[in-house]
Short mmCIF file of all heavy atoms in Angstrom, two decimals:
data_model
loop_
_atom_site.label_atom_id
_atom_site.label_comp_id
_atom_site.label_asym_id
_atom_site.label_seq_id
_atom_site.Cartn_x
_atom_site.Cartn_y
_atom_site.Cartn_z
N MET A 1 -11.60 -2.63 1.03
CA MET A 1 -12.04 -2.71 -0.36
C MET A 1 -10.86 -2.98 -1.29
O MET A 1 -10.97 -3.77 -2.22
CB MET A 1 -12.72 -1.41 -0.75
CG MET A 1 -13.26 -1.44 -2.16
SD MET A 1 -14.20 0.04 -2.49
CE MET A 1 -13.69 0.37 -4.13
N MET A 2 -9.73 -2.34 -1.05
CA MET A 2 -8.56 -2.58 -1.91
C MET A 2 -8.13 -4.03 -1.85
O MET A 2 -7.73 -4.60 -2.86
CB MET A 2 -7.40 -1.69 -1.48
CG MET A 2 -7.55 -0.26 -1.86
SD MET A 2 -6.02 0.60 -1.55
CE MET A 2 -6.54 2.26 -1.74
N GLN A 3 -8.20 -4.59 -0.66
CA GLN A 3 -7.82 -5.99 -0.51
C GLN A 3 -8.75 -6.88 -1.33
O GLN A 3 -8.30 -7.81 -2.00
CB GLN A 3 -7.87 -6.37 0.96
CG GLN A 3 -7.37 -7.76 1.24
CD GLN A 3 -7.44 -8.09 2.72
OE1 GLN A 3 -7.92 -7.31 3.52
NE2 GLN A 3 -6.96 -9.24 3.09
N ALA A 4 -10.04 -6.61 -1.32
CA ALA A 4 -11.00 -7.42 -2.06
C ALA A 4 -10.81 -7.27 -3.57
O ALA A 4 -10.86 -8.26 -4.31
CB ALA A 4 -12.42 -7.01 -1.67
N VAL A 5 -10.57 -6.06 -4.03
CA VAL A 5 -10.36 -5.83 -5.46
C VAL A 5 -9.05 -6.49 -5.91
O VAL A 5 -9.00 -7.11 -6.97
CB VAL A 5 -10.36 -4.32 -5.78
CG1 VAL A 5 -9.95 -4.07 -7.22
CG2 VAL A 5 -11.73 -3.73 -5.51
N ALA A 6 -8.02 -6.36 -5.10
CA ALA A 6 -6.75 -6.99 -5.45
C ALA A 6 -6.90 -8.51 -5.50
O ALA A 6 -6.38 -9.16 -6.41
CB ALA A 6 -5.67 -6.60 -4.45
N ALA A 7 -7.64 -9.07 -4.56
CA ALA A 7 -7.88 -10.52 -4.56
C ALA A 7 -8.66 -10.94 -5.79
O ALA A 7 -8.38 -11.99 -6.39
CB ALA A 7 -8.62 -10.93 -3.29
N ALA A 8 -9.64 -10.14 -6.19
CA ALA A 8 -10.41 -10.45 -7.40
C ALA A 8 -9.52 -10.40 -8.64
O ALA A 8 -9.65 -11.24 -9.54
CB ALA A 8 -11.59 -9.48 -7.53
N CYS A 9 -8.64 -9.43 -8.69
CA CYS A 9 -7.71 -9.33 -9.83
C CYS A 9 -6.78 -10.54 -9.86
O CYS A 9 -6.55 -11.13 -10.92
CB CYS A 9 -6.90 -8.04 -9.73
SG CYS A 9 -7.85 -6.54 -10.01
N LEU A 10 -6.24 -10.91 -8.72
CA LEU A 10 -5.36 -12.07 -8.65
C LEU A 10 -6.10 -13.34 -9.05
O LEU A 10 -5.54 -14.19 -9.76
CB LEU A 10 -4.78 -12.21 -7.23
CG LEU A 10 -3.81 -11.12 -6.79
CD1 LEU A 10 -3.51 -11.25 -5.31
CD2 LEU A 10 -2.52 -11.18 -7.61
N ALA A 11 -7.35 -13.46 -8.63
CA ALA A 11 -8.15 -14.64 -8.98
C ALA A 11 -8.41 -14.73 -10.47
O ALA A 11 -8.65 -15.81 -11.00
CB ALA A 11 -9.47 -14.61 -8.21
N ARG A 12 -8.36 -13.59 -11.16
CA ARG A 12 -8.57 -13.58 -12.61
C ARG A 12 -7.27 -13.65 -13.38
O ARG A 12 -7.23 -13.42 -14.59
CB ARG A 12 -9.37 -12.35 -13.00
CG ARG A 12 -10.84 -12.50 -12.65
CD ARG A 12 -11.55 -11.18 -12.58
NE ARG A 12 -12.97 -11.35 -12.28
CZ ARG A 12 -13.46 -11.62 -11.09
NH1 ARG A 12 -12.63 -11.78 -10.07
NH2 ARG A 12 -14.75 -11.75 -10.88
N GLY A 13 -6.19 -13.92 -12.68
CA GLY A 13 -4.91 -14.16 -13.34
C GLY A 13 -4.06 -12.94 -13.57
O GLY A 13 -3.04 -13.02 -14.25
N ILE A 14 -4.45 -11.81 -13.03
CA ILE A 14 -3.63 -10.62 -13.18
C ILE A 14 -2.46 -10.74 -12.21
O ILE A 14 -2.67 -10.96 -11.01
CB ILE A 14 -4.45 -9.35 -12.89
CG1 ILE A 14 -5.59 -9.23 -13.91
CG2 ILE A 14 -3.58 -8.11 -12.92
CD1 ILE A 14 -6.58 -8.13 -13.61
N PRO A 15 -1.24 -10.62 -12.68
CA PRO A 15 -0.10 -10.78 -11.78
C PRO A 15 -0.01 -9.65 -10.76
O PRO A 15 -0.41 -8.51 -11.04
CB PRO A 15 1.11 -10.76 -12.72
CG PRO A 15 0.64 -10.16 -13.98
CD PRO A 15 -0.83 -10.38 -14.07
N SER A 16 0.52 -9.99 -9.61
CA SER A 16 0.66 -9.02 -8.53
C SER A 16 1.47 -7.80 -8.95
O SER A 16 1.23 -6.69 -8.49
CB SER A 16 1.31 -9.70 -7.32
OG SER A 16 1.32 -8.85 -6.21
N THR A 17 2.40 -8.00 -9.87
CA THR A 17 3.24 -6.90 -10.32
C THR A 17 2.50 -5.95 -11.26
O THR A 17 3.01 -4.88 -11.59
CB THR A 17 4.49 -7.43 -11.03
OG1 THR A 17 4.08 -8.32 -12.08
CG2 THR A 17 5.40 -8.17 -10.06
N ALA A 18 1.31 -6.33 -11.70
CA ALA A 18 0.52 -5.48 -12.60
C ALA A 18 -0.64 -4.81 -11.89
O ALA A 18 -1.46 -4.15 -12.52
CB ALA A 18 0.00 -6.31 -13.76
N ILE A 19 -0.73 -4.98 -10.58
CA ILE A 19 -1.80 -4.36 -9.79
C ILE A 19 -1.20 -3.20 -9.00
O ILE A 19 -0.23 -3.38 -8.26
CB ILE A 19 -2.44 -5.38 -8.82
CG1 ILE A 19 -3.04 -6.55 -9.62
CG2 ILE A 19 -3.51 -4.70 -7.97
CD1 ILE A 19 -3.47 -7.71 -8.75
N PHE A 20 -1.77 -2.03 -9.17
CA PHE A 20 -1.29 -0.84 -8.47
C PHE A 20 -2.37 -0.30 -7.56
O PHE A 20 -3.54 -0.23 -7.94
CB PHE A 20 -0.85 0.23 -9.48
CG PHE A 20 0.40 -0.15 -10.23
CD1 PHE A 20 0.33 -0.95 -11.36
CD2 PHE A 20 1.64 0.27 -9.79
CE1 PHE A 20 1.47 -1.33 -12.05
CE2 PHE A 20 2.79 -0.09 -10.47
CZ PHE A 20 2.71 -0.89 -11.61
N LEU A 21 -1.98 0.07 -6.36
CA LEU A 21 -2.91 0.58 -5.36
C LEU A 21 -2.48 1.99 -4.95
O LEU A 21 -1.29 2.24 -4.72
CB LEU A 21 -2.91 -0.32 -4.13
CG LEU A 21 -3.24 -1.80 -4.39
CD1 LEU A 21 -2.92 -2.62 -3.16
CD2 LEU A 21 -4.69 -1.96 -4.76
N SER A 22 -3.44 2.87 -4.86
CA SER A 22 -3.16 4.23 -4.41
C SER A 22 -3.64 4.37 -2.96
O SER A 22 -4.84 4.27 -2.69
CB SER A 22 -3.88 5.24 -5.31
OG SER A 22 -3.59 6.55 -4.88
N LEU A 23 -2.73 4.58 -2.06
CA LEU A 23 -3.05 4.65 -0.64
C LEU A 23 -3.20 6.09 -0.17
O LEU A 23 -2.55 6.99 -0.69
CB LEU A 23 -1.95 3.97 0.18
CG LEU A 23 -1.66 2.51 -0.13
CD1 LEU A 23 -0.62 1.99 0.84
CD2 LEU A 23 -2.91 1.67 -0.07
N GLU A 24 -4.03 6.25 0.82
CA GLU A 24 -4.16 7.54 1.48
C GLU A 24 -3.94 7.33 2.98
O GLU A 24 -4.49 6.41 3.56
CB GLU A 24 -5.54 8.15 1.25
CG GLU A 24 -5.77 8.59 -0.18
CD GLU A 24 -7.06 9.36 -0.33
OE1 GLU A 24 -7.59 9.87 0.67
OE2 GLU A 24 -7.54 9.43 -1.47
N ARG A 25 -3.14 8.14 3.57
CA ARG A 25 -2.87 8.07 5.01
C ARG A 25 -2.81 9.50 5.55
O ARG A 25 -2.49 10.43 4.82
CB ARG A 25 -1.53 7.39 5.28
CG ARG A 25 -1.37 6.01 4.70
CD ARG A 25 -2.13 4.98 5.46
NE ARG A 25 -1.37 4.61 6.65
CZ ARG A 25 -1.71 3.63 7.46
NH1 ARG A 25 -2.78 2.94 7.23
NH2 ARG A 25 -0.99 3.33 8.51
N ASN A 26 -3.09 9.64 6.82
CA ASN A 26 -2.86 10.93 7.44
C ASN A 26 -1.37 11.22 7.43
O ASN A 26 -0.55 10.32 7.61
CB ASN A 26 -3.37 10.93 8.88
CG ASN A 26 -4.88 10.92 8.93
OD1 ASN A 26 -5.54 11.42 8.04
ND2 ASN A 26 -5.43 10.34 9.97
N MET A 27 -1.03 12.46 7.19
CA MET A 27 0.38 12.85 7.11
C MET A 27 0.65 14.06 8.00
O MET A 27 -0.25 14.87 8.23
CB MET A 27 0.76 13.18 5.67
CG MET A 27 0.67 12.00 4.74
SD MET A 27 1.31 12.41 3.12
CE MET A 27 0.74 10.99 2.21
N ALA A 28 1.88 14.16 8.43
CA ALA A 28 2.28 15.31 9.22
C ALA A 28 3.50 15.99 8.60
O ALA A 28 3.47 17.16 8.27
CB ALA A 28 2.59 14.91 10.66
N CYS A 29 4.57 15.25 8.41
CA CYS A 29 5.80 15.88 7.91
C CYS A 29 5.91 15.85 6.38
O CYS A 29 6.56 16.71 5.81
CB CYS A 29 7.02 15.20 8.52
SG CYS A 29 7.32 13.53 7.89
N ALA A 30 5.34 14.82 5.76
CA ALA A 30 5.41 14.65 4.30
C ALA A 30 6.84 14.50 3.80
O ALA A 30 7.13 14.79 2.64
CB ALA A 30 4.68 15.76 3.57
N ALA A 31 7.74 14.05 4.66
CA ALA A 31 9.13 13.89 4.26
C ALA A 31 9.73 12.57 4.75
O ALA A 31 10.95 12.40 4.71
CB ALA A 31 9.95 15.05 4.81
N GLY A 32 8.92 11.67 5.22
CA GLY A 32 9.43 10.39 5.69
C GLY A 32 10.11 10.43 7.03
O GLY A 32 10.95 9.58 7.34
N LEU A 33 9.79 11.41 7.85
CA LEU A 33 10.47 11.57 9.13
C LEU A 33 9.63 11.17 10.34
O LEU A 33 10.15 10.62 11.31
CB LEU A 33 10.90 13.03 9.31
CG LEU A 33 11.86 13.56 8.23
CD1 LEU A 33 12.08 15.05 8.42
CD2 LEU A 33 13.18 12.80 8.27
N CYS A 34 8.34 11.43 10.32
CA CYS A 34 7.54 11.24 11.55
C CYS A 34 6.94 9.83 11.66
O CYS A 34 6.62 9.38 12.75
CB CYS A 34 6.43 12.28 11.62
SG CYS A 34 5.09 12.03 10.44
N GLY A 35 6.73 9.16 10.56
CA GLY A 35 6.18 7.81 10.58
C GLY A 35 4.67 7.74 10.63
O GLY A 35 4.10 6.66 10.66
N LEU A 36 3.99 8.86 10.62
CA LEU A 36 2.53 8.86 10.71
C LEU A 36 1.89 8.15 9.52
O LEU A 36 0.87 7.50 9.66
CB LEU A 36 2.02 10.29 10.82
CG LEU A 36 0.52 10.44 11.08
CD1 LEU A 36 0.17 9.82 12.44
CD2 LEU A 36 0.11 11.90 11.06
N CYS A 37 2.50 8.24 8.38
CA CYS A 37 1.91 7.65 7.17
C CYS A 37 2.46 6.26 6.89
O CYS A 37 2.16 5.70 5.84
CB CYS A 37 2.19 8.55 5.98
SG CYS A 37 3.94 8.54 5.51
N GLN A 38 3.20 5.70 7.80
CA GLN A 38 3.85 4.41 7.54
C GLN A 38 2.82 3.31 7.33
O GLN A 38 1.85 3.18 8.06
CB GLN A 38 4.78 4.04 8.68
CG GLN A 38 5.63 2.83 8.36
CD GLN A 38 6.76 2.63 9.36
OE1 GLN A 38 6.85 3.34 10.36
NE2 GLN A 38 7.61 1.68 9.09
N PHE A 39 3.05 2.51 6.29
CA PHE A 39 2.20 1.36 5.99
C PHE A 39 3.13 0.19 5.75
O PHE A 39 3.75 0.09 4.69
CB PHE A 39 1.33 1.64 4.75
CG PHE A 39 0.32 0.58 4.48
CD1 PHE A 39 -0.85 0.50 5.23
CD2 PHE A 39 0.55 -0.37 3.51
CE1 PHE A 39 -1.77 -0.49 4.99
CE2 PHE A 39 -0.38 -1.36 3.26
CZ PHE A 39 -1.54 -1.43 4.00
N GLY A 40 3.27 -0.66 6.75
CA GLY A 40 4.27 -1.73 6.66
C GLY A 40 5.64 -1.09 6.59
O GLY A 40 5.94 -0.17 7.35
N PRO A 41 6.46 -1.52 5.64
CA PRO A 41 7.80 -0.95 5.53
C PRO A 41 7.85 0.34 4.71
O PRO A 41 8.90 0.95 4.58
CB PRO A 41 8.58 -2.05 4.81
CG PRO A 41 7.54 -2.70 3.96
CD PRO A 41 6.25 -2.65 4.74
N ALA A 42 6.71 0.76 4.18
CA ALA A 42 6.69 1.90 3.27
C ALA A 42 6.13 3.14 3.94
O ALA A 42 5.28 3.06 4.83
CB ALA A 42 5.85 1.57 2.03
N PHE A 43 6.60 4.27 3.49
CA PHE A 43 6.05 5.56 3.89
C PHE A 43 5.27 6.10 2.70
O PHE A 43 5.83 6.30 1.63
CB PHE A 43 7.15 6.54 4.28
CG PHE A 43 7.89 6.17 5.52
CD1 PHE A 43 9.04 5.42 5.47
CD2 PHE A 43 7.40 6.55 6.76
CE1 PHE A 43 9.71 5.06 6.62
CE2 PHE A 43 8.06 6.21 7.92
CZ PHE A 43 9.22 5.45 7.87
N VAL A 44 3.97 6.32 2.92
CA VAL A 44 3.11 6.75 1.81
C VAL A 44 3.57 8.11 1.28
O VAL A 44 3.57 8.34 0.08
CB VAL A 44 1.64 6.79 2.25
CG1 VAL A 44 0.75 7.35 1.15
CG2 VAL A 44 1.17 5.37 2.62
N CYS A 45 4.01 8.99 2.16
CA CYS A 45 4.42 10.33 1.72
C CYS A 45 5.69 10.28 0.88
O CYS A 45 5.83 11.03 -0.08
CB CYS A 45 4.62 11.25 2.91
SG CYS A 45 6.05 10.88 3.95
N ARG A 46 6.60 9.44 1.22
CA ARG A 46 7.91 9.40 0.56
C ARG A 46 7.95 8.38 -0.58
O ARG A 46 8.54 8.62 -1.62
CB ARG A 46 8.99 9.09 1.59
CG ARG A 46 10.42 9.17 1.06
CD ARG A 46 11.42 8.70 2.08
NE ARG A 46 11.20 7.27 2.36
CZ ARG A 46 11.67 6.64 3.43
NH1 ARG A 46 12.37 7.30 4.31
NH2 ARG A 46 11.42 5.37 3.60
N ASP A 47 7.35 7.22 -0.36
CA ASP A 47 7.45 6.12 -1.31
C ASP A 47 6.25 6.01 -2.24
O ASP A 47 6.31 5.30 -3.24
CB ASP A 47 7.62 4.80 -0.56
CG ASP A 47 8.77 4.83 0.42
OD1 ASP A 47 9.80 5.45 0.09
OD2 ASP A 47 8.63 4.25 1.50
N GLY A 48 5.14 6.62 -1.88
CA GLY A 48 3.91 6.46 -2.64
C GLY A 48 3.43 7.77 -3.20
O GLY A 48 4.24 8.66 -3.43
N PRO A 49 2.15 7.90 -3.34
CA PRO A 49 1.07 7.11 -2.75
C PRO A 49 0.68 5.87 -3.55
O PRO A 49 -0.11 5.08 -3.10
CB PRO A 49 -0.11 8.10 -2.71
CG PRO A 49 0.12 8.97 -3.89
CD PRO A 49 1.63 9.11 -4.00
N VAL A 50 1.26 5.67 -4.75
CA VAL A 50 0.91 4.51 -5.56
C VAL A 50 1.96 3.43 -5.34
O VAL A 50 3.16 3.70 -5.45
CB VAL A 50 0.80 4.89 -7.05
CG1 VAL A 50 0.48 3.68 -7.89
CG2 VAL A 50 -0.27 5.97 -7.24
N PHE A 51 1.47 2.23 -5.02
CA PHE A 51 2.36 1.10 -4.74
C PHE A 51 1.95 -0.10 -5.57
O PHE A 51 0.76 -0.32 -5.79
CB PHE A 51 2.29 0.71 -3.26
CG PHE A 51 2.79 1.76 -2.32
CD1 PHE A 51 1.92 2.71 -1.82
CD2 PHE A 51 4.12 1.80 -1.94
CE1 PHE A 51 2.36 3.69 -0.95
CE2 PHE A 51 4.57 2.77 -1.07
CZ PHE A 51 3.69 3.72 -0.56
N ARG A 52 2.92 -0.88 -5.97
CA ARG A 52 2.60 -2.16 -6.62
C ARG A 52 2.14 -3.15 -5.57
O ARG A 52 2.65 -3.17 -4.44
CB ARG A 52 3.86 -2.70 -7.32
CG ARG A 52 3.75 -2.67 -8.80
CD ARG A 52 4.92 -3.19 -9.55
NE ARG A 52 5.74 -4.16 -8.86
CZ ARG A 52 6.96 -4.49 -9.24
NH1 ARG A 52 7.49 -3.92 -10.31
NH2 ARG A 52 7.66 -5.37 -8.58
N HIS A 53 1.19 -3.96 -5.95
CA HIS A 53 0.60 -4.91 -5.01
C HIS A 53 1.63 -5.87 -4.43
O HIS A 53 1.55 -6.22 -3.25
CB HIS A 53 -0.52 -5.71 -5.70
CG HIS A 53 -1.18 -6.68 -4.79
ND1 HIS A 53 -0.81 -8.00 -4.73
CD2 HIS A 53 -2.19 -6.53 -3.90
CE1 HIS A 53 -1.57 -8.61 -3.83
NE2 HIS A 53 -2.40 -7.74 -3.32
N ASP A 54 2.59 -6.29 -5.21
CA ASP A 54 3.56 -7.25 -4.67
C ASP A 54 4.40 -6.66 -3.54
O ASP A 54 4.99 -7.37 -2.75
CB ASP A 54 4.47 -7.80 -5.78
CG ASP A 54 5.31 -6.73 -6.45
OD1 ASP A 54 4.84 -5.57 -6.54
OD2 ASP A 54 6.43 -7.04 -6.87
N ARG A 55 4.42 -5.33 -3.44
CA ARG A 55 5.19 -4.69 -2.37
C ARG A 55 4.38 -4.54 -1.09
O ARG A 55 4.92 -4.71 0.01
CB ARG A 55 5.69 -3.33 -2.85
CG ARG A 55 6.49 -2.63 -1.79
CD ARG A 55 7.30 -1.50 -2.33
NE ARG A 55 8.07 -0.92 -1.23
CZ ARG A 55 8.35 0.35 -1.13
NH1 ARG A 55 7.99 1.18 -2.06
NH2 ARG A 55 9.03 0.79 -0.10
N ILE A 56 3.11 -4.19 -1.21
CA ILE A 56 2.34 -3.91 0.00
C ILE A 56 1.19 -4.88 0.24
O ILE A 56 0.53 -4.80 1.28
CB ILE A 56 1.78 -2.47 -0.02
CG1 ILE A 56 0.82 -2.29 -1.21
CG2 ILE A 56 2.88 -1.44 -0.02
CD1 ILE A 56 -0.05 -1.06 -1.08
N GLY A 57 0.97 -5.78 -0.70
CA GLY A 57 -0.14 -6.73 -0.58
C GLY A 57 -0.19 -7.47 0.75
O GLY A 57 -1.26 -7.58 1.36
N PRO A 58 0.93 -8.01 1.21
CA PRO A 58 0.89 -8.74 2.48
C PRO A 58 0.44 -7.89 3.67
O PRO A 58 -0.07 -8.42 4.65
CB PRO A 58 2.35 -9.20 2.66
CG PRO A 58 2.93 -9.18 1.30
CD PRO A 58 2.24 -8.09 0.57
N PHE A 59 0.59 -6.60 3.58
CA PHE A 59 0.23 -5.73 4.71
C PHE A 59 -1.23 -5.30 4.68
O PHE A 59 -1.73 -4.73 5.65
CB PHE A 59 1.16 -4.51 4.74
CG PHE A 59 2.59 -4.90 4.83
CD1 PHE A 59 3.41 -4.87 3.72
CD2 PHE A 59 3.13 -5.36 6.02
CE1 PHE A 59 4.73 -5.26 3.79
CE2 PHE A 59 4.44 -5.75 6.12
CZ PHE A 59 5.25 -5.71 5.00
N LEU A 60 -1.91 -5.54 3.55
CA LEU A 60 -3.32 -5.16 3.47
C LEU A 60 -4.17 -5.95 4.46
O LEU A 60 -5.19 -5.48 4.92
CB LEU A 60 -3.85 -5.38 2.05
CG LEU A 60 -3.30 -4.46 0.97
CD1 LEU A 60 -3.81 -4.88 -0.39
CD2 LEU A 60 -3.64 -3.01 1.26
N ALA A 61 -3.76 -7.16 4.77
CA ALA A 61 -4.53 -8.02 5.66
C ALA A 61 -4.26 -7.74 7.14
O ALA A 61 -4.95 -8.26 8.01
CB ALA A 61 -4.24 -9.48 5.35
N VAL A 62 -3.26 -6.93 7.41
CA VAL A 62 -2.90 -6.62 8.79
C VAL A 62 -3.77 -5.46 9.29
O VAL A 62 -3.71 -4.36 8.72
CB VAL A 62 -1.41 -6.26 8.91
CG1 VAL A 62 -1.05 -5.92 10.34
CG2 VAL A 62 -0.55 -7.39 8.38
N SER A 63 -4.55 -5.71 10.32
CA SER A 63 -5.39 -4.63 10.84
C SER A 63 -4.55 -3.67 11.66
O SER A 63 -3.52 -4.03 12.22
CB SER A 63 -6.52 -5.20 11.68
OG SER A 63 -6.00 -5.87 12.80
N HIS A 64 -5.01 -2.46 11.75
CA HIS A 64 -4.36 -1.40 12.53
C HIS A 64 -2.98 -1.04 12.01
O HIS A 64 -2.11 -0.70 12.80
CB HIS A 64 -4.30 -1.77 14.01
CG HIS A 64 -5.63 -2.07 14.59
ND1 HIS A 64 -6.79 -1.43 14.24
CD2 HIS A 64 -6.01 -2.99 15.50
CE1 HIS A 64 -7.80 -1.91 14.93
NE2 HIS A 64 -7.36 -2.88 15.69
N LEU A 65 -2.79 -1.13 10.74
CA LEU A 65 -1.53 -0.64 10.17
C LEU A 65 -1.69 0.78 9.74
O LEU A 65 -2.67 1.22 9.29
CB LEU A 65 -1.10 -1.49 8.97
CG LEU A 65 -0.05 -2.54 9.22
CD1 LEU A 65 0.37 -3.19 7.93
CD2 LEU A 65 1.13 -2.06 9.98
S1 FES B 101 4.00 12.07 6.89
FE1 FES B 101 5.65 11.85 8.20
S2 FES B 101 6.62 10.05 7.54
FE2 FES B 101 5.04 10.39 6.08
#
């Protein structure tokens, strides 16, 4: 759903830098150590949970991330 909404925003001319996504992932350590919450190069517990689309957008299309 986030991917579809972000695509709709981009199609309406909203820049990728103005789209923010709030991610939820299972967590264990909550300190960036275990990698359970990793989404692409980002750790949701340490770096998020809110990310700008230009940072994580390319990873939304990757299944099993
Ligand atoms: S919960 Fe362990 S790295 Fe995020």
Side-chain angles (χ1 to χ4, degrees):
M1 183 174 140
M2 286 190 191
Q3 185 180 4
V5 172
C9 291
L10 292 170
R12 284 161 178 77
I14 298 172
S16 187
T17 55
I19 301 170
F20 291 84
L21 304 168
S22 181
L23 302 184
E24 291 188 20
R25 304 285 280 187
N26 289 331
M27 295 187 192
C29 71
L33 300 173
C34 72
L36 187 63
C37 70
Q38 189 168 6
F39 187 78
F43 292 93
V44 175
C45 70
R46 186 187 64 198
D47 306 323
V50 178
F51 295 90
R52 249 180 26 196
H53 181 265
D54 62 328
R55 180 164 182 214
I56 62 164
F59 302 102
L60 292 175
V62 179
S63 63
H64 304 324
L65 260 186

